[in-house]
Amino acid sequence: MAGPVLQQPSYLLANLRADWTTKPLLQRCQELVKVIDDYPAKELHLIFPWLVESIFGSLDGVIVGWNLRSLPLRTNEHGIVMDFLDPSGPMMKLVYKLQAEEYKYEMPISYLPGPVKASIQEGVLPDSPLFHNKLQFPVSGLLTFSMSLNPFEYYMFNFASSLLSPKTYATTNATTTDNAYFVLVDTYLKYFLPTEGNVPPSPFSDTRGTVSPPAPRSPSVPFVGYGAHSTSLLKRHISHQPSVNADPAAQEIWRSETLLQVFVELWLHHYSLEIYQKLQSPQVKLALLQYRLNMSSMLCQPPALPGPGSHHTYQEPFSPTEEHVLVVRLLVKHLHAFSNSLKPEQIASSPSTHSHASPLEEFKRVVVQRFVQQKLYVFLQHCFGHWPLDASFRAVLETWLSYIQPWRYPGEKNQPADGLIRSVPEKWASFVQENLLMYTKLFQGFLNRAVRTDLVNAKNAQMVFRVAKVFSPPNLADMIQQAEQLFLEPELLHHRQHRVFLTPSHGGSFLSSRQAVTTDTVFKVKSHVYSLEGQDCQYKQMFGNELRGTVLKLVQIIAQARQTAKRISDHSAEVAANNSFLSWFGMGPSELNNTFNGGEVDDMGECVKKTHEFLDKALDCLCQIFRLNAGQLSQVMANMASAEDDMGSKQMPDCIVGESGPMLTDLGRMQIINGQRRFEIEYQGDPELQPIRSYENAFLVRLLYQMSSFINSRFGNRMAALCSRTDFLGSVGRHYLRCSPASRHSPPTRRSLESHTRPRLSLRGLASYRTLLSVLLLYLLAALLSFGPLSSTALILVAGLLYELLTHLLVEKVKSQ
């Protein structure tokens, strides 16, 4: 009887695989629910890896799975998926069933982020405790490391990795938040990191009892660590409890810790090799330790150095997608709300009372600083330096702004989230101090992008306004200045030789902050800066002279963009005014060089209006933040206006003459990007020989060109004589016949001068589909009024000529006045 029992799980997996491609989603989920309820964990163990891969897709992107990132909301499939993958749903029940039996699943490290993978391959254990006691050495002859994960970790690793897996399929909303994956991330965060109450206990239990947390970390891991890693929050808390079951929150908090560690390690651990080496460099960490305390009183040994070839072969050309950044922003916003839900008595309590707080309250206290700060900082730095200079940067920008405004995300529902806060509460001064680089260094990075961005674009102008508005509260600037003064204050090490201070990168888990240690604010700010940038960093003050000069340069560019937007607005208004009623029907003078139709002119006018509004508000906020003198600002604006009027729009961009002709200089490129100067691109050949447009009938264009060429060659002399007259008939002839001067933008040749100044008849306007439709409608109207074809044709021609004649007389009268 042993044979059939051993083959049954394989038979179950084969049946599920066969039904996976033939049955609809609802039926598959219903059958899976029955399987999860009826089969024991021993048999479910073999189908679990296949089921996870079939849902989230393979890590290499070959298997699509349920394609959660492209599954839109408000569909039947979305409801089925959310019910099945809900934190209290059937899939999580399967996870807890297997968790109770302590099954393990292997995951190759080749699917980890590049910096983590390179660190492990060099024999250096990453700082995160998520990887401790999970690495499996390769079998003899193999060079691939793998991790041994429990079911919950394996499930979350695959779920988080599906955001980063390459897409080999077409999607319609890959960069939006209107999909099942985004909603599922939000659901998991709210469930495992609740802002109200405790983490719900596992609703499913095995016959053995409660679900067990991960096993303790083994001290015999043969990897070199950069710090003395302590146990996790759960394990340290349990060590003071008589029984695991005595505190359900202590038993279940490990899921919250694991979920957040997986999200942070997989989503925020993608950046360049240079940044990773700087953060992981033992020299930087050793220098930080030497700064913090006297080496003779250190309680831990200095970290061992990796091999001479550490990380030199690692290369990861990773560029986060907009979808990736939006999910990270969702994580940041929820972590702020989670941290802000800490009870007021817990916030005000002394460190000696922290040990009596619940594990969840301890978690809330340190979650942002310990888990997110460092990795989010380098992640945003990477994005600031590598993201294209276009409007898609808005996702990165809003992620940054969300992090530096924790006061906008209250943790309790009865606390209103006021998006129009005029001043920052004083209690957030410590957050500003402990995240100084998030405010100052990234603001400098944004300025470097802003001065190279086309601010005439309304979306780019809005980003400048958003940043200026966030930094505009007066007391926020004061908080940043105070934090900078604290950092610049000289440190006296001999006064602090008895102190020990461990940062997240040295404490392993976030419990290092719960050590019986204290430090003053100066020490805390310096530790923050040195832990992220190294002790030899050259810090630039946000309100120093150098950055103030960059801000004045941005003000100048804003003024230039405003002038360019004004010129575009004036041009759009002029084009709209010149579009007469009859020219809409195609009977008036045709300006083929004009590329804007009526709708485009309206849209451009609206965009220019928004650009003016955003830039004006941004200027006001920048003046408030940096206390710019109003007189100096007015002088800059006046100088830019006069410069634009004198030469801005009339001169070519700065160029040098090369072997192949004029070449743009760096100044010329900046002038084009910022709209200061531009090349006048215009068709300078025969207007009748321009390429056929999409709104023109090709056959009629060629036919009418032949007819007009015959008329011009036959009656050219008479038309020239008519246009040369100075009386009324000559004026009318010049109105109906093309008699335009040569182009002003290039020296005309003798042949082009003769062809452009010779009067000629143009019939090309009649080849437009809009003109043909208008004429057809006029014929139908005439037929309804009982006019014949000949009389209708004569009436249309006479009406058109009279209308143009009256228009010409009115224009001439206005000019004479």
Side-chain angles (χ1 to χ4, degrees):
M1 297 299 294
V5 173
L6 293 175
Q7 296 176 1
Q8 189 173 357
S10 169
Y11 179 74
L12 173 63
L13 179 60
N15 284 343
L16 291 175
R17 282 180 172 174
D19 296 340
W20 198 258
T21 57
T22 58
K23 294 183 179 180
L25 179 62
L26 177 59
Q27 187 175 355
R28 279 181 281 159
C29 290
Q30 291 174 347
E31 293 182 356
L32 284 173
V33 171
K34 295 179 181 179
V35 169
I36 294 172
D37 291 336
D38 298 341
Y39 282 79
K42 183 177 181 180
E43 299 177 9
L44 296 175
H45 163 62
L46 295 179
I47 71 168
F48 182 66
W50 166 83
L51 181 58
V52 170
E53 186 177 78
S54 300
I55 294 175
F56 300 127
S58 58
L59 296 175
D60 56 6
V62 176
I63 300 176
V64 177
W66 283 357
N67 202 2
L68 300 179
R69 293 155 63 187
S70 299
L71 184 60
L73 305 181
R74 295 174 293 277
T75 59
N76 294 332
E77 290 79 4
H78 173 264
I80 297 171
V81 169
M82 294 303 298
D83 290 340
F84 187 78
L85 300 179
D86 188 80
S88 301
M91 189 64 189
M92 200 58 67
K93 179 178 181 179
L94 172 61
V95 171
Y96 294 142
K97 249 188 174 183
L98 298 174
Q99 186 78 29
E101 297 292 339
E102 299 183 359
Y103 284 110
K104 298 293 182 180
Y105 301 91
E106 289 192 1
M107 172 177 286
I109 68 167
S110 58
Y111 297 114
L112 293 176
V116 180
K117 178 174 59 179
S119 175
I120 295 175
Q121 289 175 344
E122 294 291 340
V124 181
L125 190 65
D127 288 335
S128 174
L130 182 66
F131 303 102
H132 298 168
N133 202 32
K134 296 181 177 66
L135 295 174
Q136 300 293 321
F137 293 99
V139 184
S140 178
L142 300 178
L143 299 178
T144 303
F145 287 92
S146 63
M147 295 191 305
S148 178
L149 306 176
N150 63 47
F152 186 82
E153 293 169 340
Y154 184 81
Y155 176 83
M156 287 302 170
F157 257 99
N158 280 270
F159 173 71
S161 298
S162 63
L163 178 64
L164 311 175
S165 60
K167 290 186 177 181
T168 58
Y169 49 91
T171 59
T172 57
N173 56 349
T175 59
T176 67
T177 59
D178 189 21
N179 58 70
Y181 187 86
F182 192 87
V183 175
L184 201 57
V185 171
D186 186 51
T187 303
Y188 285 159
L189 289 174
K190 292 178 179 178
Y191 185 88
F192 293 107
L193 301 173
T195 57
E196 295 183 352
N198 293 322
V199 181
S202 171
F204 312 108
S205 61
D206 193 78
T207 55
R208 296 176 50 184
T210 57
V211 178
S212 60
R217 188 177 302 143
S218 173
S220 60
V221 178
F223 274 80
V224 180
Y226 283 126
H229 299 280
S230 61
T231 56
S232 69
L233 175 61
L234 169 66
K235 296 152 201 165
R236 183 179 184 272
H237 188 87
I238 291 178
S239 63
H240 301 285
Q241 301 292 335
S243 172
V244 174
N245 295 329
D247 189 353
Q251 182 194 1
E252 298 297 334
I253 191 67
W254 68 268
R255 295 177 298 163
S256 304
E257 181 181 351
T258 300
L259 173 110
L260 186 55
Q261 286 178 342
V262 169
F263 285 179
V264 170
E265 291 299 322
L266 292 183
W267 294 344
L268 298 181
H269 222 138
H270 295 271
Y271 31 76
S272 64
L273 173 63
E274 179 183 0
I275 296 178
Y276 180 73
Q277 287 180 329
K278 180 178 69 173
L279 291 177
Q280 293 293 98
S281 172
Q283 289 81 2
V284 172
K285 295 188 175 183
L286 185 59
L288 181 58
L289 287 175
Q290 290 173 343
Y291 166 78
R292 288 187 177 129
L293 43 95
N294 189 351
M295 295 299 295
S296 61
S297 62
M298 288 179 57
L299 300 182
C300 58
Q301 297 296 325
L305 300 179
S310 297
H311 312 304
H312 287 298
T313 59
Y314 158 64
Q315 292 293 337
E316 185 191 32
F318 180 81
S319 297
T321 62
E322 186 177 357
E323 180 188 18
H324 181 177
V325 176
L326 289 175
V327 174
V328 171
R329 181 177 183 240
L330 175 65
L331 174 64
V332 170
K333 292 168 62 178
H334 183 80
L335 288 181
H336 276 320
F338 177 69
S339 179
N340 293 342
S341 65
L342 187 66
K343 297 178 181 178
E345 58 271 17
Q346 291 293 337
I347 298 177
S349 61
S350 61
S352 61
T353 62
H354 291 172
S355 58
H356 301 288
S358 68
L360 188 62
E361 297 299 323
E362 292 285 307
F363 195 22
K364 292 179 180 180
R365 186 190 307 277
V366 297
V367 61
V368 175
Q369 299 299 114
R370 296 293 181 180
F371 274 104
V372 181
Q373 185 198 64
Q374 184 187 61
K375 291 183 174 61
L376 181 63
Y377 173 72
V378 294
F379 177 82
L380 291 176
Q381 264 199 326
H382 178 76
C383 293
F384 273 54
H386 295 80
W387 205 275
L389 292 172
D390 55 22
S392 65
F393 184 72
R394 179 70 183 272
V396 180
L397 184 77
E398 293 298 335
T399 303
W400 170 47
L401 297 181
S402 294
Y403 182 83
I404 64 176
Q405 298 181 92
W407 46 85
R408 293 186 63 244
Y409 307 102
E412 298 180 1
K413 295 181 179 179
N414 55 1
Q415 297 178 358
D418 187 2
L420 301 176
I421 296 178
R422 296 299 178 183
S423 62
V424 180
E426 288 298 327
K427 68 176 183 178
W428 294 108
S430 60
F431 180 88
V432 175
Q433 295 164 2
E434 296 173 4
N435 293 271
L436 179 62
L437 292 178
M438 283 287 193
Y439 291 89
T440 60
K441 187 69 176 293
L442 293 183
F443 182 81
Q444 296 171 23
F446 175 76
L447 283 183
N448 293 332
R449 290 182 59 92
V451 297
R452 295 180 289 125
T453 304
D454 177 18
L455 298 184
V456 180
N457 186 298
K459 295 181 179 179
N460 294 335
Q462 185 180 14
M463 287 192 285
V464 175
F465 163 65
R466 285 281 297 124
V467 175
K469 180 182 178 182
V470 168
F471 282 84
S472 62
N475 61 332
L476 178 59
D478 295 337
M479 290 179 182
I480 297 175
Q481 282 184 301
Q482 293 172 5
E484 289 187 323
Q485 293 301 320
L486 292 172
F487 172 73
L488 297 175
E489 181 177 327
E491 178 68 25
L492 300 177
L493 283 177
H494 64 277
H495 288 168
R496 297 176 173 84
Q497 290 182 0
H498 64 284
R499 304 189 182 203
V500 180
F501 187 83
L502 297 177
T503 59
S505 58
H506 290 85
S509 181
F510 51 85
L511 278 179
S512 57
S513 65
R514 306 276 67 85
Q515 304 289 341
V517 294
T518 58
T519 185
D520 57 15
T521 307
V522 176
F523 208 54
K524 189 180 300 183
V525 176
K526 289 177 178 289
S527 298
H528 156 69
V529 175
Y530 291 153
S531 63
L532 293 181
E533 292 291 334
Q535 191 176 6
D536 58 345
C537 70
Q538 300 296 326
Y539 182 80
K540 296 181 181 179
Q541 298 185 57
M542 181 173 173
F543 298 94
N545 294 330
E546 183 176 353
L547 194 63
R548 186 181 180 88
T550 306
V551 172
L552 290 176
K553 181 180 179 181
L554 177 61
V555 170
Q556 184 179 8
I557 293 174
I558 290 176
Q560 295 168 354
R562 292 176 75 255
Q563 292 297 324
T564 303
K566 183 178 182 300
R567 186 170 65 247
I568 295 175
S569 178
D570 295 341
H571 176 72
S572 302
E574 181 181 354
V575 170
N578 291 336
N579 285 335
S580 63
F581 173 78
L582 198 60
S583 64
W584 187 90
F585 286 96
M587 292 186 175
S590 177
E591 289 291 340
L592 295 179
N593 282 326
N594 180 22
T595 59
F596 303 109
N597 56 35
E600 291 173 341
V601 170
D602 294 339
D603 294 341
M604 176 171 291
E606 185 66 23
C607 290
V608 170
K609 182 179 179 181
K610 291 182 179 179
T611 300
H612 269 287
E613 180 182 354
F614 291 139
L615 294 181
D616 289 342
K617 292 181 178 179
L619 279 177
D620 294 339
C621 293
L622 288 174
C623 292
Q624 182 178 352
I625 297 169
F626 293 93
R627 298 176 175 86
L628 300 180
N629 184 277
Q632 294 178 350
L633 183 62
S634 301
Q635 185 63 35
V636 171
M637 302 291 288
N639 293 340
M640 288 307 308
S642 61
E644 286 290 328
D645 293 339
D646 293 340
M647 62 179 182
S649 60
K650 304 299 181 182
Q651 291 188 0
M652 294 175 57
D654 188 67
C655 302
I656 59 175
V657 180
E659 297 180 357
S660 58
M663 299 176 60
L664 280 174
T665 63
D666 292 338
L667 176 60
R669 294 187 184 93
M670 291 295 298
Q671 290 170 340
I672 292 179
I673 291 175
N674 296 314
Q676 296 174 274
R677 302 181 185 180
R678 58 189 176 91
F679 290 105
E680 295 290 344
I681 301 176
E682 182 179 276
Y683 183 80
Q684 299 182 5
D686 188 349
E688 297 298 312
L689 297 179
Q690 290 190 61
I692 299 174
R693 305 300 203 272
S694 60
Y695 55 83
E696 294 178 322
N697 185 281
F699 172 75
L700 288 180
V701 169
R702 297 185 179 96
L703 178 62
L704 294 174
Y705 175 73
Q706 296 295 333
M707 293 175 58
S708 60
S709 298
F710 174 78
I711 295 175
N712 291 331
S713 63
R714 184 71 178 271
F715 303 101
N717 294 332
R718 295 184 182 182
M719 288 189 293
L722 176 63
C723 292
S724 62
R725 297 176 59 169
T726 58
D727 54 5
F728 175 74
L729 290 178
S731 176
V732 173
R734 287 189 294 272
H735 177 74
Y736 284 105
L737 302 175
R738 286 187 176 273
C739 188
S740 58
S743 174
R744 299 174 299 169
H745 304 290
S746 61
T749 62
R750 179 179 178 182
R751 180 176 179 180
S752 64
L753 184 62
E754 292 177 355
S755 62
H756 286 192
T757 57
R758 184 183 303 163
R760 63 194 185 280
L761 176 67
S762 176
L763 301 176
R764 182 165 177 170
L766 300 176
S768 171
Y769 289 116
R770 187 170 58 182
T771 302
L772 295 176
L773 178 60
S774 303
V775 172
L776 178 60
L777 294 177
L778 290 175
Y779 270 110
L780 292 177
L781 179 61
L784 293 175
L785 299 177
S786 301
F787 285 94
L790 294 178
S791 58
S792 299
T793 302
L795 184 61
I796 292 174
L797 291 175
V798 170
L801 291 173
L802 289 177
Y803 179 83
E804 287 294 328
L805 181 61
L806 291 175
T807 303
H808 173 66
L809 291 176
L810 291 175
V811 172
E812 290 294 328
K813 184 177 182 180
V814 172
K815 288 182 179 179
S816 63
Q817 294 177 351

